[in-house]
Amino acid sequence: MMLDLALENCRINHDIVNIGIEDGEIARISKSPLKADKTIKIKGNIILPGLIDAHVHFREPGYEYKEDFRTGSMAAAHGGFTTILDMPNTKPETNTAREFKKKIKIASKKSIIDFGLHAGIKKLKEIKKITQLNPASFKIFTEEIENHKISRIFQTLKGSNIPITFHCEDPQIIEYCTNQLKDESRPEIYSIARPTIAEELATTNAITFSHHYNHPIHICHISSKKTLELIKSIKAPVTCEITPHHLLLTSEDLKKWGAIAKTNPPLRPGKEAITIKDLKMIDIIATDHAPHTLQEKKANIWEAPPGIPNLEVTLKLLLTLNAKKRLKLARIQKMLSEKPASIFGLKNKGRIETGMDADFVIIDPKRTGKIKADEFYSKAHYTPFDGMEYIGEPVMTILRGKLIMEEGEVFKNRGTHIKSNYHR
């Protein structure tokens, strides 16, 4: 059998295999040589399923000056990601069926990788319409929606199995603390203005809804050990994520980076922060890629917008932990490929098995360098990880059997809208 493409000498765990691709899917995995129209030599480098980022903000429509689907997807491919799920807080928001369809059209023309969409929430009748379009989830910002409305949202989605994704921070606590501290100019004060108790209360509230309605929820970007303890202490269909900045930085980094490291929820003091040892209790790593202009981020800590661009640094940071024996490669694969696909209904993604989409990231574990924000494909040329030395980096990204990144160069491609499938 002559295949479309063969990937030769791929390292999976401790085995060297050849992978055959036909019609964009994995057709064969073999230790024997494969015949194909085209062969790519992997040279014994590590191959993982294409990474899936379940939480990005590509800013389009409305804020294209910060990022758009072309630059965002190029940044993703550069970082080893083959699928992203975009958040709804654009302008206009993706909270009606009409706007959901519009964003699909925009992304289908511009994204070079596969994509799915989280939906916002406006009216209950729009929830039912969007449900028919297979969203990744419905997103709730707890600062914006009252409890009685949240209850009705759960009732409307009953029986659908579509997750409700939560940004958990209590608005009253944040307002009170911010008013007490807003005359302070020290950047690290921002962490105290949005304390962990705000996250813990809002998370408890979300879990209570999930438990009561027996409906799946996903908690975004958890930032504190106590929040994680709450999630694991209550029996409910709840999953959660952590970002690389909440995992690897603390509020001390605000002193050095100022608003460059500003994010919501904020970075935490070391004693409150989640550590690498806690990853076994967390479902996925998501970048929360949230780009702004450098000029916007140069404002003071209160006026600068929150958000950090992470698509092009995340894998390098995690591979460095792997090289230092602090994080197993199997956990990276689980948290950045397998589990995101499972949680968000991406049936053909996340695993290297026959019949799955031929999405891969090839890693050279010995490649070293320094993170350089000025080399990003993202429009946001800043990061609090700038200058950090890394060990291991993605050298190829392959989407549905097509090479879309090699040695830092990103190529033209047309991604596909992936409909989340929650039939169980």
Side-chain angles (χ1 to χ4, degrees):
M1 177 182 175
M2 185 67 74
L3 298 158
D4 294 336
L5 175 68
L7 305 181
E8 184 182 275
N9 292 332
C10 309
R11 184 176 296 279
I12 299 179
N13 298 322
H14 300 293
D15 295 327
I16 298 293
V17 301
N18 303 299
I19 300 174
I21 297 164
E22 186 75 19
D23 295 328
E25 294 184 350
I26 301 171
R28 291 189 66 187
I29 302 173
S30 172
K31 291 190 176 182
S32 302
L34 298 173
K35 293 182 179 181
D37 293 332
K38 181 181 178 182
T39 298
I40 296 177
K41 297 181 184 296
I42 304 302
K43 304 175 183 178
N45 279 327
I46 295 166
I47 189 166
L48 297 180
L51 306 186
I52 300 168
D53 193 345
H55 188 154
V56 305
H57 300 267
F58 277 0
R59 306 300 190 199
E60 190 172 18
Y63 304 102
E64 291 88 345
Y65 71 95
K66 299 173 188 274
E67 194 79 287
D68 58 45
F69 269 95
R70 184 184 67 84
T71 58
S73 63
M74 291 175 73
H78 188 214
F81 291 87
T82 53
T83 305
I84 57 89
L85 302 179
D86 186 63
M87 286 294 172
N89 53 332
T90 46
K91 186 179 181 180
E93 292 187 23
T94 319
N95 57 14
T96 66
R98 181 182 179 185
E99 293 304 328
F100 196 92
K101 291 175 182 177
K102 279 185 178 180
K103 187 181 276 191
I104 291 173
K105 288 183 178 180
I106 292 170
S108 295
K109 292 178 181 178
K110 300 178 74 171
S111 180
I112 72 163
I113 66 170
D114 287 352
F115 65 93
L117 302 179
H118 296 284
I121 295 172
K122 184 177 183 180
K123 297 179 180 178
L124 297 181
K125 65 178 182 180
E126 289 294 339
I127 292 177
K128 294 179 179 179
K129 291 179 182 177
I130 295 172
T131 296
Q132 304 304 311
L133 302 173
N134 303 91
S137 81
F138 284 90
K139 178 72 176 286
I140 288 178
F141 294 84
T142 56
E143 293 178 72
E144 301 173 3
I145 302 180
E146 298 107 330
N147 279 338
H148 69 91
K149 291 182 180 179
I150 294 176
S151 182
R152 293 181 68 192
I153 292 165
F154 273 89
Q155 292 169 20
T156 302
L157 286 170
K158 185 177 181 180
S160 72
N161 277 330
I162 299 173
I164 300 174
T165 304
F166 277 86
H167 177 128
C168 290
E169 289 185 282
D170 183 87
Q172 292 179 324
I173 288 180
I174 290 172
E175 182 180 12
Y176 174 78
C177 293
T178 299
N179 286 337
Q180 298 296 309
L181 299 168
K182 62 185 178 182
D183 292 333
E184 296 248 16
S185 59
R186 293 177 293 125
E188 64 271 24
I189 206 72
Y190 190 72
S191 181
I192 303 171
R194 302 177 82 99
T196 60
I197 185 64
E199 182 182 62
E200 292 153 26
L201 277 175
T203 301
T204 301
N205 202 45
I207 294 171
T208 301
F209 278 114
S210 175
H211 180 73
H212 180 81
Y213 289 104
N214 192 31
H215 191 91
I217 67 169
H218 180 76
I219 308 295
C220 294
H221 42 51
I222 60 172
S223 68
S224 77
K225 286 182 184 292
K226 288 188 176 181
T227 299
L228 183 57
E229 290 167 2
L230 282 168
I231 291 170
K232 297 304 172 183
S233 67
I234 301 174
K235 189 175 181 181
V238 179
T239 55
C240 63
E241 75 188 31
I242 189 168
T243 69
H245 47 274
H246 286 117
L247 180 65
L248 299 174
L249 303 177
T250 70
S251 56
E252 284 292 304
D253 290 286
L254 285 165
K255 293 180 181 179
K256 176 181 178 181
W257 292 102
I260 292 292
K262 178 182 176 179
T263 185
N264 291 340
L267 302 177
R268 300 301 181 192
K271 63 182 179 181
E272 296 178 347
I274 290 168
T275 66
I276 295 163
K277 292 181 180 179
D278 300 317
L279 284 178
K280 60 182 179 294
M281 295 189 289
I282 300 171
D283 295 283
I284 68 173
I285 296 169
T287 72
D288 191 10
H289 178 79
H292 300 284
T293 68
L294 188 56
Q295 191 62 36
E296 288 173 325
K297 294 296 277 186
K298 285 181 178 178
N300 68 54
I301 198 67
W302 300 110
E303 295 178 2
I308 297 172
N310 272 323
L311 280 164
E312 295 168 89
V313 303
T314 296
L315 186 53
K316 290 177 179 178
L317 295 170
L318 298 178
L319 290 174
T320 303
L321 294 175
N322 173 253
K324 294 179 178 180
K325 310 294 185 185
R326 300 181 66 195
L327 183 63
K328 291 183 177 180
L329 198 63
R331 185 164 296 281
I332 296 174
Q333 177 172 320
K334 183 176 182 180
M335 299 185 79
L336 276 171
S337 299
E338 296 172 10
K339 205 63 189 285
S342 174
I343 292 171
F344 293 104
L346 309 177
K347 300 299 184 183
N348 278 15
K349 304 288 187 183
R351 301 188 308 280
I352 299 178
E353 298 174 1
T354 56
M356 303 295 286
D357 287 349
D359 299 349
F360 310 101
V361 55
I362 290 82
I363 294 161
D364 182 342
K366 296 180 181 179
R367 188 76 62 90
T368 61
K370 288 185 177 181
I371 291 173
K372 298 178 181 178
D374 59 1
E375 295 179 354
F376 286 179
Y377 280 86
S378 170
K379 291 183 181 181
H381 292 277
Y382 66 88
T383 172
F385 298 108
D386 203 23
M388 186 175 290
E389 295 184 351
Y390 64 83
I391 307 171
E393 71 174 353
V395 293
M396 287 185 194
T397 307
I398 296 172
L399 174 67
R400 298 176 182 267
K402 186 172 181 180
L403 185 64
I404 60 171
M405 187 281 287
E406 183 176 17
E407 296 292 349
E409 183 179 359
V410 176
F411 309 117
K412 290 182 179 180
N413 190 50
R414 182 66 64 89
T416 301
H417 175 228
I418 305 299
K419 298 178 180 179
S420 292
N421 182 349
Y422 291 107
H423 297 299
R424 298 176 182 176

